[in-house]
Amino acid sequence: MKDNIDILELAQLESEERRKRIFDINEYWAYKLFAEERQNIVDFFPIKQSDNVLEINSECGVVTSKLAEKCGIVTSVEVDEVYCDAAKALNRHFSNINFKTKIYSTASPLA
C-alpha cells in the first residue's frame, strides 16, 4: 500500500477530484479503498432513518457515507488510525457519524 499520507490526501478531496486522482494513480489499493460501488451493500439492508447502525472495520468510510444518508446515527469503528482519519475527512459533511478507534483493551490476558 502507498504511504499513509496518500490515503488521507485522497479522502480530503471532493468526489470528482478523488476519482480523477485515483485514475491517475492507477493502483488497486486506491480503487479498493474508495470505490463507491461498495456502497451498494447498504441497499440490501432494510435500514430506516430511525435506526442507529454500528459499522465495524469501516476502512476509509466509503460505506459509512451511504449509511449516514439512510439512518439516524452511525457509529463507525476502525482500529487503524490512518483509516479512521481518512473516514472522518471523507465524511466531514455528515453530523450523524461517531468515529471510534483504539477500542481494544491494553489489559494483560488472564493467567
Side-chain angles (χ1 to χ4, degrees), residues 9-108:
E9 286 175 2
L10 284 172
Q12 292 169 337
L13 296 173
E14 294 301 323
S15 184
E16 189 59 36
E17 185 61 30
R18 185 173 36 260
R19 280 190 209 99
K20 290 177 188 174
R21 185 83 183 276
I22 289 170
F23 181 79
D24 291 342
I25 292 172
N26 195 26
E27 294 279 346
Y28 174 75
W29 67 265
Y31 176 76
K32 178 206 172 276
L33 288 176
F34 293 100
E36 292 176 3
E37 291 82 2
R38 295 173 65 202
Q39 294 179 342
N40 294 339
I41 192 168
V42 175
D43 295 330
F44 289 102
F45 298 99
I47 298 171
K48 300 182 298 279
Q49 189 64 38
S50 60
D51 290 341
N52 296 331
V53 174
L54 173 63
E55 179 190 27
I56 299 173
N57 191 29
S58 59
E59 290 187 330
C60 292
V62 174
V63 175
T64 311
S65 302
K66 184 73 168 192
L67 289 169
E69 289 173 3
K70 291 188 76 170
C71 72
I73 297 174
V74 178
T75 300
S76 175
V77 177
E78 174 55 60
V79 295
D80 186 301
E81 288 186 56
V82 173
Y83 283 175
C84 190
D85 288 343
K88 288 176 185 177
L90 188 71
N91 293 289
R92 61 192 172 274
H93 53 280
F94 289 104
S95 61
N96 62 332
I97 305 172
N98 300 313
F99 293 96
K100 305 286 183 192
T101 190
K102 297 245 181 216
I103 58 165
Y104 50 88
S105 172
T106 57
S108 41

